[in-house]
Each structure stands twice: as structure tokens, then as C-alpha cells.
Amino acid sequence: MGNAKLTKEKKIHFRKIFYPFLAFMYGIIVARGLYRGEIEKIILTSIVFIVVAVIFCLNKRFIALSIITIMFFIGNGFYYLGIRSYNVIDYSNNIVCVEGRISDDIQKSNYGYSLLLDDVKINNEKGQKISLYISSAKSAPIVGQRIIFEGKLDKIKPFNLKSFNSFSYRTGARYNARISKKDIIFLDNIKVKSDETIKLAVKDVVYKNMSEDNAGIAMAMLFGDKNDLNDEIASTYKNVGIIHILTVSGLHIGFLIAVVYGFLKKCRTNKYLCLSLTFCFIFFYAYLCGFTPSVMRAGIMAIIMILAKTFSQQYDSLNSLGLAGFIICFIKPLSPFDIGFLMSFFSVFSIICLSRMFIKFFSKFLPYKIATLLAVTTSAQLGILPFLAYFGGQIHLFSFVVNLLVLPLLSVLFPFLFVVSLIGTFINFIGYLLILVDYGFVFINLIAQFFERSHLIIPVMVTYFSMTIIYFVLILFISEFCMIESQNKLALFSLVTFIMVVMLGCYNFFPIKNQTSVSYIGSANNLSVVITSAKGESLLVGYNYNLVNYKRSYYINKFDTYLSLDGRISGDYEQIISNLGIKFFYSFSGVSENAKIIPTECDISIGSFVVRYKVLEGEMAGLLIKVDNQCIFVASEGNLSYNAIENEIVIKENAKIVITKNQIDNRVKSGYILMSQLAQEYGEFSYQKDGNVKFLYEKNAWIARGLD
């Protein structure tokens, strides 16, 4: 009787820390969608609650069910706790005096430098960190130098087109600013922090003894510093599925801890001293890496594992993973939105759930060590698959083979790189040994380039949030933690797989009903407008980097037509056209080999759209676009004045939506939708105030819907 009861309880195999954390994390992730009325998240959450309640009630685990429910709602609260950190003073309408210190997070672009200002004072009062772009700067700013400038600050929003702003959350930046170098006062006092001093010293050693491209790889692996990483190398690594090695994660922590802990054990160090020294090393490395979620997760799990070994206790990997997650979320509540945290967490989750099963399979025809390595690699790849598909849009068929070739070499190269680069900061000749690492990276690059040329890359359609949840439920079902009979496990696996296939089929074969709409997609210095007709045709005016995110997040396959006012698209034309799926490219001025030139002040029909390029008040110009008997005006530059809107646009042409980059005059006639980039007293909508906005035409009226 007792054995029967034990078997029954083990079917759920409840982990007192891990499963409450899953509920807590899920509560954080869906809170925004639930209270914004997103149907998908409401339906999925209802289904999850019903299924979990039925399973736990049938097994009479009422206390466990209560704990999970409570943790879900606590997670909702933590979401709003995290959002509060973005409630900062709005300086977008005023010129302010800013003083701050340049941190070591500096990235070069074509026309200047992007950097992070910390120790900030705004109008002589303590302020939040600022993500600053310095234009017209030919030389790199000096780390630790204080600067002063006057300008406007834009508040950073936590979400942009459904995507979480991971950079601002990790760094603590809450404002964006752009300033020319000539308008900055550089002060003489320079204060470099201890972690920056170490990283700069290491960087100096690495760049002296390695090629420039491989030195960029080394800094990315050591500290997650991708500022000098070659874009082509990053693209190649992403295409073949090894981009994760360029982000400090459990993989890197594991390599280093294995060396440190193994060395201390070989030296027969007292177990308590061994524990203390290992803990100090983990803290030191996490400090150098800025306490990123992936490093913290790996470090906490490692500490728990070593504690268990030290005190001869059983180590539970799932519970330690849950405990690490709780600690990270208590410190940074919005971490479950961070792609680094998600990939780190679920890769470990998949390794815990699937590696033993794969080891049993691979060891039938491979040596045990190779089988183990292949099993761990395959499991980790399956864990990050949904996120690679969503953020990368593609999967390489042989990515697991590339990882199998690269990871064993990296397990030797990375600890060697870490030790030599640190020692080389005070013993110069030791740094020469980094040439061995350089050769190793050359070999890894050759492997990546070889597999990239194989063109075995499959483009992947973006996945629904609910499908990602179902995917990890499948992983849990086939793992040893789902302790039910094999035939029942197979039945559950088949049922969930069937649901997943049906959802994919519904997405591919039953598209969402098309509607006349106007979407405003903004960024710091550019705006784009996407107009969709009732027939589903799309017209894109203006380009900015957020469009790729918009296309992915809102399941848009392509943009039919692109309209350029100056005859060009900034950046790599071919890559942009490919990323956005643009079919036709038109220009109203300038010279472009790629665009069809259209004359001004003349109605042109493009599919469902009638377009006219208008020149108003000298240099100010804009597009008058008619779709489904509705008229929209998009100003390209300058300000919209009273006369321009009243006489030329609103009354004469009956434009119902007016969009401009800059100011809107306070005398504009009411009754029309006005959208600008800047927040101002008389504008009805603005990017700074409302973020990206979509206007839907329903029942003879335009209705605003938030995209952010």
C-alpha cells in the first residue's frame, strides 16, 4: 500500500523550488499581455491553469497547487515592480545640462561612437544612466573621462514592438541622447573603476598578441564585450549555430570552474577553503562581466553544486536551477524577458531533462565521453532552438555537428585564454602565448565558414508564444521527470505534438483578416510608416532599424512597396531588401540605380494606393497617400505649420492622419489624428509619449492601438 502511494506521488515528481519558480517566471512573462488584453496569452494562461489544476487535484496535491497559484500572482506583481524602474523624469521637452562619466561600454559606428554614461547628473541632480551617441567623433572617447553637454533626453521604453530592451535593462540606462562632439565639454578628471581597469589591461594584452578580428572574439568570450566584434564573424557564427559561444554563459563558467575547482582539489586544499576560494572566483568573474543574468545563473548553480558536494548532500539540478532563477528575479524582476537569461535558463533545463536519454542512445555506437559531449550539445541546442528561430529567423541543419567540433577545442582554449590574458597584464612575456589561442580561433573560424558555405540553412517562421510553452512541455514529457508509464507518456507526447502541428497549420493556412491600417514605427532619429490596405497590400515609407523587429513580432511576411523620398536606403541595400521582403522600390527625388523615379505633384497608382509627392513651403515635402478612400499625409522633414495643414492638406485633400518627424503647430484644426516623433503639448500622439502606434480603420473611424 505504501509503495503504491509512493508511486502515485512520484508521477508528478513535484520539485518544491523549481516548479514554483516556473509559475513565478510565467507570471512575470504574461503579466503585461494579460492586463493589456492579449487574447493569446489569456487563452493560454487559462488552459495552463485548468490543466495544472486538474492534474494536481486528481493527485490530491492541493498545497502544491496553492503554492504554484500564489507564485504566479506574485510574479505578476514583480513584473510591475520591475517596470517601475523605467518611471523616470521626462526631459524630452526641455534642454537640460548633463554631466556624466564615460564607462568602458564604447562602440564605434560609421559616423561616431555609442557609449554609456554613468555617475550622471542632470541639472546638478543625480540622474539615471544615459545611452549616448556622439556624432562626428573621429577618435574614441576616453574611458573614465567626465563630460558635460546640453541637450534633450528621451526616456527609454522597456518594450519596443513586443521586444524587450535587454541592453537598457542590463546596463541600467534609462535615457537616450544624441550630441555632436563639438557640443561636448571634456573635463580633465578621469576616474576608471577597478573592473574597467582590469578589462582594459586584459584588452591591451589581447590586442597586442592576437589579430584584430580574433581579439574581438576573445573579448566577447571573456567579458561579453562585443563592441569590437567583426560583424561578418558574428553573422557567420549565428548562421551555423555557435553564436552562443560569444556570450558569457554557463558554458564559459563551467570551463573556468572546472579548472579552478579541479586545481584546488589536486592541491589537496581543505574542502571549506576550496569552497570559499571557488565562491570568490565566481563572484570576481561575475563582477567583471557586469553580473549578467546568464553568469549569475551559472554561478549560483555552481555554488549550490559545490555546497552539496562539500556537505555530502544530494544535489538536485532542477531545484538549483529554480533557486538561481529566483535569486536573479528578486534582484532584477524583468530578467525573464532578457533573451540571454531565457537561452541560458532553458538550455540548462534541456540538458537536465534530455542529456541522460541522449547519452544512452549515443553510447550504443560511440565511446562514452564522446557520447556525453554529443548528448549535452544536442540537448542544449534543443533548449535554445525556439529562441534562435524567433530572433535569428533560421536554423542550420548541422549546427549540432559544428558545436561538436568547436566545443571540445573551446573547453581548452577558453580557460587558457582567461589565465594567460590575466597573468599577461603584469608579466608581459606570458602574453605571447596568446598566439596559440589566435591559431585556435582561426581554426574555429574556418569550421564555421565551411559549414556556412554549405547553405544548409533553413529559414524558420516566427513562433507563437504559446508554441514555445508547448515545446518545453514536450521536453518535460519525454524526460525522466515525467514518471508515468511509457504508453501514457507516448500518448501525451503525441497529443501535445498534434496540438503543436494544428497551431502551425492554422497559422500558415488561415491568415489574419486584413484591415486598412497605418502603423508608425519610430526610432531615435528616423520614422517609418507602414500603410496596409483592406486587400492586404502594404506600402512602406521611410526606413529604420526597428522595421525588422516589427516584421518579426507582428508576423509580417513582406512589404510590397517601399517609398523613398531621397532615392536611397541607408545601410546595406541588398540586405535590407532581403530582410524586409520588399518587392518594389520607388523614389520621388534623387538618383538611385535601384529605384523607379516618380515625378512630383502627380497622382501615381501603386496597387491599392494613390500617391502624390507634395512640396510645401519651400524645402518641406511630404507624401499624400490615399488608400481605401482614406487619405494620409506623411511629412518628410521640417515642421508642419498652420497654413500647410489647413490649406494644403486637411481641408483640400481631406487627410485624416497627419504624421511628421518634428513639431506640430498648436493652431491645427481639431478632429484629425496628429502623430509626431517629439512629445509636445498640442500633439495628439507622439513616439516619445506613446511609442509606436497603429491606427486601424473600423466602422468609419480611425482607432489608435498601441504597438509597444
Side-chain angles (χ1 to χ4, degrees):
M1 186 73 179
N3 291 335
K5 182 179 179 181
L6 182 62
T7 304
K8 185 176 181 180
E9 289 180 347
K10 280 190 175 181
K11 287 183 180 179
I12 290 183
H13 210 47
F14 186 73
R15 290 297 203 278
K16 294 180 180 179
I17 300 177
F18 179 71
Y19 290 113
F21 173 71
L22 284 184
F24 175 77
M25 180 172 65
Y26 184 74
I28 293 175
I29 292 173
V30 301
R32 183 169 182 263
L34 288 180
Y35 299 109
R36 282 166 54 96
E38 294 182 16
I39 299 299
E40 179 190 1
K41 288 187 173 61
I42 292 173
I43 293 175
L44 179 64
T45 302
S46 301
I47 293 173
V48 169
F49 261 98
I50 292 170
V51 171
V52 170
V54 169
I55 293 175
F56 277 72
C57 288
L58 288 176
N59 288 271
K60 298 181 179 180
R61 302 298 294 271
F62 302 111
I63 295 177
L65 178 61
S66 300
I67 292 172
I68 285 179
T69 304
I70 292 170
M71 293 310 301
F72 171 80
F73 287 107
I74 291 176
N76 286 176
F78 263 72
Y79 165 77
Y80 289 101
L81 183 66
I83 287 295
R84 287 186 62 186
S85 68
Y86 285 87
N87 294 334
V88 294
I89 300 172
D90 188 359
Y91 295 109
S92 59
N93 289 326
N94 303 308
I95 300 294
V96 295
C97 179
V98 176
E99 180 182 346
R101 191 192 73 93
I102 299 173
S103 72
D104 64 341
D105 197 337
I106 302 172
Q107 186 171 8
K108 189 180 187 307
S109 66
N110 292 332
Y111 305 104
Y113 288 87
S114 297
L115 53 87
L116 183 70
L117 281 185
D118 59 17
D119 193 16
V120 172
K121 291 183 179 180
I122 303 173
N123 291 336
N124 289 323
E125 295 183 0
K126 185 176 181 181
Q128 299 282 350
K129 294 180 181 178
I130 299 173
S131 179
L132 177 66
Y133 179 78
I134 302 178
S135 61
S136 305
K138 296 182 180 179
S139 58
I142 300 173
V143 175
Q145 187 172 28
R146 294 194 68 81
I147 63 172
I148 298 176
F149 66 89
E150 290 186 346
K152 290 185 177 181
L153 301 179
D154 295 335
K155 291 169 62 175
I156 293 178
K157 299 176 178 65
F159 293 93
N160 185 285
L161 300 170
K162 291 187 178 180
S163 290
F164 182 64
N165 194 329
S166 295
F167 172 79
S168 72
Y169 194 65
R170 283 197 294 259
T171 60
R174 293 297 179 266
Y175 294 104
N176 276 321
R178 183 185 179 94
I179 197 79
S180 175
K181 184 176 181 180
K182 64 182 178 61
D183 297 323
I184 298 175
I185 299 174
F186 292 88
L187 303 180
D188 292 333
N189 54 324
I190 296 176
K191 181 181 179 182
V192 183
K193 296 180 180 179
S194 56
D195 63 318
E196 293 172 340
T197 301
I198 295 171
K199 286 188 284 187
L200 288 172
V202 169
K203 186 174 184 177
D204 185 58
V205 172
V206 167
Y207 272 84
K208 280 182 179 178
N209 297 283
M210 298 178 68
S211 65
E212 185 175 348
D213 287 345
N214 288 337
I217 296 174
M219 292 304 294
M221 287 185 182
L222 284 170
F223 309 115
D225 179 5
K226 299 184 180 67
N227 293 330
D228 298 321
L229 185 63
N230 184 289
D231 291 338
E232 291 184 5
I233 291 176
S235 177
T236 298
Y237 279 35
K238 186 185 83 169
N239 289 338
V240 299
I242 58 172
I243 189 68
H244 59 91
I245 70 174
L246 299 178
T247 301
V248 181
S249 64
L251 178 73
H252 305 74
I253 294 286
F255 290 154
L256 294 179
I257 290 177
V259 172
V260 172
Y261 190 73
F263 174 77
L264 292 173
K265 295 295 286 184
K266 286 286 185 183
C267 295
R268 300 182 182 276
T269 308
N270 177 277
K271 63 179 182 179
Y272 300 110
L273 180 59
C274 183
L275 172 65
S276 302
L277 292 175
T278 306
F279 174 80
C280 290
F281 171 77
I282 292 172
F283 182 84
F284 170 71
Y285 188 59
Y287 169 67
L288 291 180
C289 296
F291 295 103
T292 59
S294 56
V295 174
M296 288 174 65
R297 192 272 310 152
I300 293 167
M301 287 191 68
I303 290 170
I304 294 171
M305 182 180 69
I306 296 170
L307 279 170
K309 287 185 176 181
T310 302
F311 296 100
S312 302
Q313 298 295 314
Q314 185 177 2
Y315 174 71
D316 189 299
S317 53
L318 278 182
N319 272 340
S320 64
L321 179 61
L323 179 60
F326 267 126
I327 294 173
I328 292 170
C329 290
F330 286 159
I331 298 171
K332 291 192 171 185
L334 299 183
S335 292
F337 291 102
D338 185 352
I339 182 61
F341 174 84
L342 291 173
M343 293 181 72
S344 175
F345 182 89
F346 283 105
S347 65
V348 175
F349 169 76
S350 296
I351 290 171
I352 293 170
C353 289
L354 302 178
S355 59
R356 290 187 184 180
M357 181 183 68
F358 282 125
I359 288 173
K360 290 179 182 178
F361 174 75
F362 291 132
S363 59
K364 292 179 180 179
F365 49 87
L366 291 172
Y368 183 78
K369 288 187 177 180
I370 296 177
T372 301
L373 179 61
L374 182 58
V376 171
T377 300
T378 304
S379 302
Q381 288 293 300
L382 289 173
I384 64 176
L385 191 63
F387 309 109
L388 290 177
Y390 181 77
F391 289 94
Q394 61 188 25
I395 294 174
H396 198 287
L397 287 178
F398 285 162
S399 63
F400 72 95
V401 176
V402 183
N403 277 275
L404 185 62
L405 295 172
V406 168
L407 291 184
L409 178 59
L410 195 65
S411 66
V412 176
L413 281 179
F414 181 70
F416 185 78
L417 167 67
F418 182 83
V419 172
V420 171
S421 59
L422 277 182
I423 297 176
T425 59
F426 51 88
I427 304 179
N428 291 334
F429 70 88
I430 295 294
Y432 293 124
L433 294 175
L434 288 177
I435 193 172
L436 300 176
V437 181
D438 197 58
Y439 287 134
F441 284 167
V442 168
F443 183 63
I444 291 175
N445 294 339
L446 289 174
I447 293 174
Q449 291 165 6
F450 171 78
F451 280 93
E452 185 184 35
R453 287 193 295 268
S454 66
H455 301 294
L456 295 172
I457 300 171
I458 301 176
V460 179
M461 201 64 177
V462 292
T463 58
Y464 278 105
F465 170 77
S466 54
M467 289 190 62
T468 303
I469 301 298
I470 292 173
Y471 178 80
F472 287 112
V473 169
L474 277 176
I475 289 179
L476 192 60
F477 274 164
I478 63 177
S479 73
E480 62 182 11
F481 299 102
C482 182
M483 301 181 67
I484 58 177
E485 297 177 357
S486 298
Q487 59 268 29
N488 293 336
K489 183 179 289 191
L490 178 61
L492 283 172
F493 181 83
S494 302
L495 175 62
V496 176
T497 304
F498 174 76
I499 294 172
M500 203 168 173
V501 171
V502 169
M503 288 182 64
L504 276 171
C506 290
Y507 172 72
N508 288 319
F509 299 110
F510 298 98
I512 299 171
K513 181 181 177 181
N514 294 312
Q515 224 173 341
T516 306
S517 66
V518 179
S519 297
Y520 176 96
I521 314 299
S523 63
N525 294 290
N526 298 292
L527 65 84
S528 294
V529 179
V530 181
I531 305 174
T532 305
S533 71
K535 294 181 180 180
E537 294 177 281
S538 58
L539 183 72
L540 170 61
V541 182
Y543 172 78
N544 74 75
Y545 62 87
N546 277 327
L547 282 169
V548 175
N549 187 19
Y550 173 71
K551 179 173 178 283
R552 180 186 66 230
S553 298
Y554 287 90
Y555 313 110
I556 297 170
N557 294 323
K558 60 181 174 55
F559 296 104
D560 295 299
T561 305
Y562 174 77
L563 295 180
S564 171
L565 294 174
D566 56 7
R568 63 184 176 84
I569 297 179
S570 58
D572 187 338
Y573 169 81
E574 294 295 338
Q575 186 65 41
I576 291 169
I577 293 295
S578 174
N579 289 342
L580 298 182
I582 295 171
K583 294 171 63 177
F584 304 105
F585 180 20
Y586 290 88
S587 172
F588 289 85
S589 64
V591 179
S592 172
E593 297 178 358
N594 308 104
K596 297 180 181 179
I597 306 299
I598 297 178
T600 61
E601 300 294 340
C602 178
D603 287 344
I604 302 296
S605 294
I606 304 175
S608 299
F609 307 93
V610 178
V611 182
R612 182 187 304 171
Y613 180 81
K614 298 183 71 68
V615 178
L616 305 172
E617 297 192 349
E619 295 183 355
M620 196 191 78
L623 295 175
L624 191 66
I625 303 167
K626 290 183 180 179
V627 55
D628 300 332
N629 296 319
Q630 298 299 310
C631 191
I632 299 102
F633 180 73
V634 182
S636 62
E637 58 187 40
N639 301 329
L640 280 180
S641 69
Y642 169 76
N643 291 331
I645 294 181
E646 282 287 336
N647 298 334
E648 296 289 341
I649 304 302
V650 176
I651 292 178
K652 184 178 178 181
E653 304 292 354
N654 198 30
K656 294 299 182 183
I657 299 180
V658 179
I659 301 174
T660 178
K661 182 177 179 180
N662 295 324
Q663 299 293 329
I664 297 176
D665 196 279
N666 64 331
R667 295 167 293 176
V668 171
K669 184 179 178 181
S670 62
Y672 300 93
I673 295 176
L674 304 172
M675 179 83 197
S676 72
Q677 189 162 11
L678 303 176
Q680 50 202 307
E681 183 179 353
Y682 303 101
E684 189 172 353
F685 295 95
S686 75
Y687 174 70
Q688 289 180 336
K689 182 177 67 175
D690 306 292
N692 300 297
V693 176
K694 185 172 188 176
F695 305 100
L696 287 173
Y697 190 68
E698 294 180 348
K699 298 179 180 179
N700 299 320
W702 287 101
I703 300 172
R705 301 280 179 86
L707 288 175
D708 290 341

